[in-house]
Amino acid sequence: MPPAPPAGPSAAGPAATDVVRRARWTLVAMFGLVGLTFSSWLSRLPSIRADLGISSGELGGLLVVGAVGATVSVVSAGALVVRFGNRTVLTAATAATVVGFVLIGVSTVVANPALFAVGVFVNGLAGPAANVPINLDAALVEKHVGRAIMPHFHAAFSVGAAVGALTAAAFAHAHVSVAVQVIVVAVVSAAARFAIVAPCTALAHEAEAEGRAEVVAGGRGSSVRTALAAWREPRTVMIGLVVLAAALSEGSAGDWLSIAVVDGFDEKEAVGAVAYASFIAAMTVLRIAGPQVIGRWGRVAVLRGSGVLSLVGLALFGFAPTLVLAWVGILAWGLGAALANPIGISAASDDPRHAAARVSVVTSFASFSKLGAPPLLGLVADATGARHALMLICAAMVVSLVFAGQVRPLGASVPPVPPIPPVPPAEMSNSAPRFEESGAEFDISAEGSAGVSADREPLRSRRG
């Protein structure tokens, strides 16, 4: 039986409640800053391609270098978090982000694809090294709050990404170089991230110090074993495939959507950046409403609906004869991409004792998608155009639909309790059972009970 989540803030004192509140809102800011940094340079990929003097296929090959760095990072991130703690890993990732973006910016000035590849590799290392700790911190906050709020953190990421895309559009419209933009954005956002690292990792830091949660605690030698054990869990691997599909959908939009609009409809780079911003805006709207949507329909139904909506949006964007109609497809695609990733992260974090290793595994699949997708989409884009190349994502959406049932919360499928045989009236006075208060609270809302779906949120705190 999975362990009960920690008691909610109502069971804690005012000081503990303040810690949870500060952690929650500084994490919202952290997710937003990470999203801003992530999208601000992706929206300038058409300019980067031109500055480096390369084709779409060659750009896709260079982006694979970043995916290699991300894979190295995400495979080891779980062990690093268990060994060194969220705060240390997140601080190091923030510093690496600045180094990576400076290298990317300089590479566009000197037109050096090799230097760009080094910058992308460092940036690839930094991304998962930040994503794993902040998602674990978000899972801890969610457990303390006692309801599903993970989509709100990912909504903050989307808001930051939208701001980053609009910032890129403004820089492009003003004819500011890519180098100036990425370096300025990286330095400013890193300064803000350094300022809030301590409060946003406070819950994890306390757990490490007091040894109360295996999610962020571990000893020498055990961290690697703990991280590797999660790779042998079928449910974790299948959730990883769901996250892979989500990452492919969301990541491919970041890599190729602006190029697809620019090349496919002969528009300016600023229009492509705004198109990507509208994709992010659609994701943000649904992520803000995510807790209510998941609470009403449950993880599995929402994930399946998201996959269908993504398929419709992608088909409309790929084959629409006009930009206006394609823009409707962009919005539908964004809505479909909104909740799959936070649902997968929450599912991997159901058991706090093993959340670090499991989140590391499922986010590894996100990096795996980046290894194959950029060169494949780049080659197809050179042959058919980026707009039609994005149709390949539809295959990933089918995979997500197949494995959607795996995100059901642990312990949701409880076998029915066999009926208690009736006691003859003559024996009731002597054999009637006696019950005593134990202080325990039991959640019997299993799937099928009273017509309530077992995978619906909000989470419920248990004691005992």
Side-chain angles (χ1 to χ4, degrees), residues 89-150:
V89 175
L90 182 55
T91 301
T94 301
T97 297
V98 177
V99 175
F101 278 113
V102 168
L103 292 174
I104 289 173
V106 173
S107 72
T108 62
V109 175
V110 299
N112 189 328
L115 185 60
F116 175 79
V118 174
V120 169
F121 179 79
V122 174
N123 194 35
L125 289 173
N131 290 338
V132 171
I134 63 176
N135 275 293
L136 286 171
D137 285 314
L140 280 173
V141 171
E142 185 177 62
K143 298 296 183 186
H144 279 77
V145 171
R147 56 191 175 89
I149 59 171
M150 183 67 75

Side-chain angles (χ1 to χ4, degrees), residues 356-379:
R358 289 171 179 169
V359 169
S360 179
V361 169
V362 300
T363 50
S364 296
F365 280 87
S367 294
F368 296 157
S369 74
K370 296 175 184 177
L371 279 172
L376 178 60
L377 290 175
L379 290 172

